[in-house]
Amino acid sequence: MPLRTALLLCATLLAAAAARAAETPPQPATPVIAAVVRTLPFTDPVEALGTLKARESVVVTANVTETVSAIHFDDGQRVKKGDILVEMTGAEEHALIEEGRARVAEAQRQYERVKSLAGQRSAAESLLDERRRDLETARAALAAIESRLADRLIKAPFDGVLGLRNISVGALVEPANQITTLDDLSTMKLDFSVPSVFLADLKPGLAVTARAPEYGDQRFRGEVSGVDSRIDPVTRSIQVRALIPNPDGRLRPGLLMQVELERNPRQALVIPESALLALGQDQFVMRVGADDRAERVQVRIGARRPGEVEITDGLRAGDRVITHGSDKVRAGQALDLVLDDGTRPLKDLLGAREAVKP
C-alpha cells in the first residue's frame, strides 16, 4: 500500500475513534460517604483494676468502758458532724459536775472578797495569790470532770453515712467494741496500680474513667489526686489514687472497678477508622480533592480508640476523607458526596445516599 494511502487510512481511523469518544456519555460520579478531618482531644489510655474507698472512714467505738443509756441513730442513717450517736451512763459524772461548779463558785467568791481587801491594803498579796490559785484549781477540776462526761457522749466526727448498729441499750461497751461505721461517701477514693513505665506521665489532674460490673456500662469520671512515692520492687508498679464524685451515693467502699487512665492528653487530628486503607505496612486514605475528585494519600497513624484513629502525618484539619465506598473509588474519579458530620447514624446516611441517586 502506498504511503499516502496508509496515512489517509490512519487519519480516518483516528477521526472515527474521536467521534465515538465524543458520543460516549461521561462516567457518572461515584456515590460515597465522607467525613471531615477534625482536631479533637485525644489521650493514650492505660487500663487497670482499682478498689474504692470512702473519702473519710472510721470505726465508731467508745473511749471508756460503760453501759449504753441511749442510742440516737438507725442503720444507714446520714448524719452531720457533731451529731450525738450514743449516750453512755454518766450519773456519777453529772453529780461531780454539780459539785465542781459549786466549788468554782465558792472559789470565785473567795477570790473576789480577798481581791477587794487587797485593794484596800487590808489583805496580803500572798493571800490573794492563794485564792487565785484555788479558783484556777477548781476550774481545772471542773474541766476534767466535763471531759470525762464528754467521753460518754459519742459524736459523729464528720458528715457521712452510718453502717449497721452493733449494740443495744443497756449493753456494756468497751473501747475495743465496734459500735458502727461512718463513711463520707460524697467523694470516693479509687486506688489502682499502674506499671512504672508510665511514671513520667503520672501527675495530679489526669482524667480517669471507671466502670463496675454492678452498674453495667455506666461510666464514672474523676481525676488523679496523688501518686505514691514508692515503686513496688516486685511488681514494678506504682499506686495511683483518683477522686470520683459520688453525689447520689451509688458507689460504696470495697467496690472493684475497671479503670481507664487518660494519660498524655493532647489535641490531635482524628478521622473515622473506617477511612483507613491498609496496604502491607502502609496506611492510605482516599481524600476528596477541591474539585470533588478522589486522591489517594498515604498517612501515618498514632493511637486508636473505638471507631477513631489519630493521624500524625499526611492530612490537615478540614480535609475530607471517604469513609464508606472507598473500595469502589480510584484516584481521579469524580465523587458524589454525602458528608458525615457525626450526628446521624450510618443507616440514615445510606438512606440519604439512596435518595439522591438519579
Side-chain angles (χ1 to χ4, degrees):
M1 179 184 297
L3 178 60
R4 180 182 179 86
T5 303
L7 292 174
L8 289 174
L9 180 59
C10 289
T12 302
L13 292 174
L14 289 173
R20 287 195 301 270
E23 294 174 357
T24 302
Q27 187 72 19
T30 303
V32 295
I33 298 175
V36 177
V37 180
R38 297 181 293 170
T39 301
L40 297 175
F42 216 89
T43 59
D44 297 326
V46 177
E47 295 184 350
L49 290 176
T51 302
L52 281 178
K53 297 179 180 179
R55 185 170 188 174
E56 303 291 346
S57 181
V58 296
V59 175
V60 180
T61 59
N63 293 328
V64 296
T65 300
E66 193 55 87
T67 57
V68 175
S69 60
I71 298 176
H72 299 283
F73 71 92
D74 294 320
D75 297 341
Q77 180 178 332
R78 185 174 295 276
V79 296
K80 296 289 186 180
K81 179 180 179 180
D83 287 353
I84 296 176
L85 306 179
V86 176
E87 291 184 43
M88 306 177 73
T89 302
E92 180 181 356
E93 283 68 27
H94 282 290
L96 290 174
I97 283 178
E98 293 300 323
E99 180 183 353
R101 288 172 179 171
R103 289 180 182 276
V104 169
E106 178 60 24
Q108 183 74 41
R109 285 194 298 269
Q110 292 296 330
Y111 172 72
E112 294 296 339
R113 185 178 66 83
V114 174
K115 182 179 180 181
S116 177
L117 293 174
Q120 300 172 8
R121 306 290 183 177
S122 300
E125 288 293 330
S126 60
L127 182 60
L128 179 61
D129 292 340
E130 184 179 344
R131 295 295 179 266
R132 182 185 297 111
R133 184 174 60 252
D134 292 342
L135 176 59
E136 291 174 352
T137 301
R139 287 175 174 170
L142 177 61
I145 299 171
E146 289 175 341
S147 177
R148 288 168 54 188
L149 181 62
D151 287 340
R152 285 157 173 78
L153 291 179
I154 301 176
K155 299 180 180 181
F158 50 81
D159 296 356
V161 178
L162 294 169
L164 301 179
R165 175 165 61 91
N166 297 318
I167 60 169
S168 300
V169 174
L172 179 65
V173 177
E174 299 179 350
N177 298 144
Q178 176 177 318
I179 295 175
T180 186
T181 57
L182 178 63
D183 296 305
D184 179 2
L185 303 181
S186 60
T187 300
M188 304 298 293
K189 293 188 290 191
L190 179 60
D191 292 349
F192 55 95
S193 296
V194 173
S196 59
V197 294
F198 301 123
L199 180 61
D201 294 329
L202 299 177
K203 58 184 178 181
L206 286 180
V208 299
T209 303
R211 295 184 294 111
E214 290 79 359
Y215 296 116
D217 292 332
Q218 183 177 357
R219 295 177 178 268
F220 300 88
R221 296 191 60 83
E223 64 178 33
V224 173
S225 63
V227 181
D228 199 358
S229 60
R230 298 182 180 182
I231 295 174
D232 190 316
V234 178
T235 63
R236 296 300 173 187
S237 61
I238 189 168
Q239 282 287 109
V240 180
R241 172 168 291 172
L243 296 181
I244 299 180
N246 188 33
D248 55 3
R250 300 185 69 192
L251 300 177
R252 296 300 177 97
L255 189 65
L256 181 67
M257 303 199 78
Q258 299 171 355
V259 190
E260 188 175 275
L261 173 67
E262 300 174 9
R263 70 180 185 93
N264 190 23
R266 61 194 180 277
Q267 294 291 320
L269 293 179
V270 179
I271 65 171
E273 200 169 21
S274 57
L276 287 179
L277 300 171
L279 181 60
Q281 298 296 322
D282 298 327
Q283 299 285 344
F284 297 87
V285 297
M286 297 302 290
R287 182 172 61 187
V288 181
D291 55 352
D292 285 353
R293 291 186 176 274
E295 300 174 351
R296 188 166 178 262
V297 179
Q298 184 173 0
V299 296
R300 185 177 301 159
I301 64 173
R304 295 174 183 256
R305 62 189 181 194
E308 294 180 326
V309 61
E310 177 187 14
I311 299 298
T312 60
D313 188 36
L315 295 174
R316 295 179 300 177
D319 286 349
R320 296 172 296 172
V321 294
I322 299 174
T323 59
H324 296 83
S326 56
D327 55 333
K328 301 178 181 178
V329 174
R330 299 293 179 266
Q333 196 167 354
L335 303 173
D336 187 7
L337 297 176
V338 168
L339 196 62
D340 181 6
D341 58 2
T343 62
R344 293 185 293 173
L346 178 60
K347 64 178 183 178
D348 291 349
L349 294 172
L350 294 175
R353 173 72 273 147
E354 294 297 327
V356 299
K357 279 186 178 181

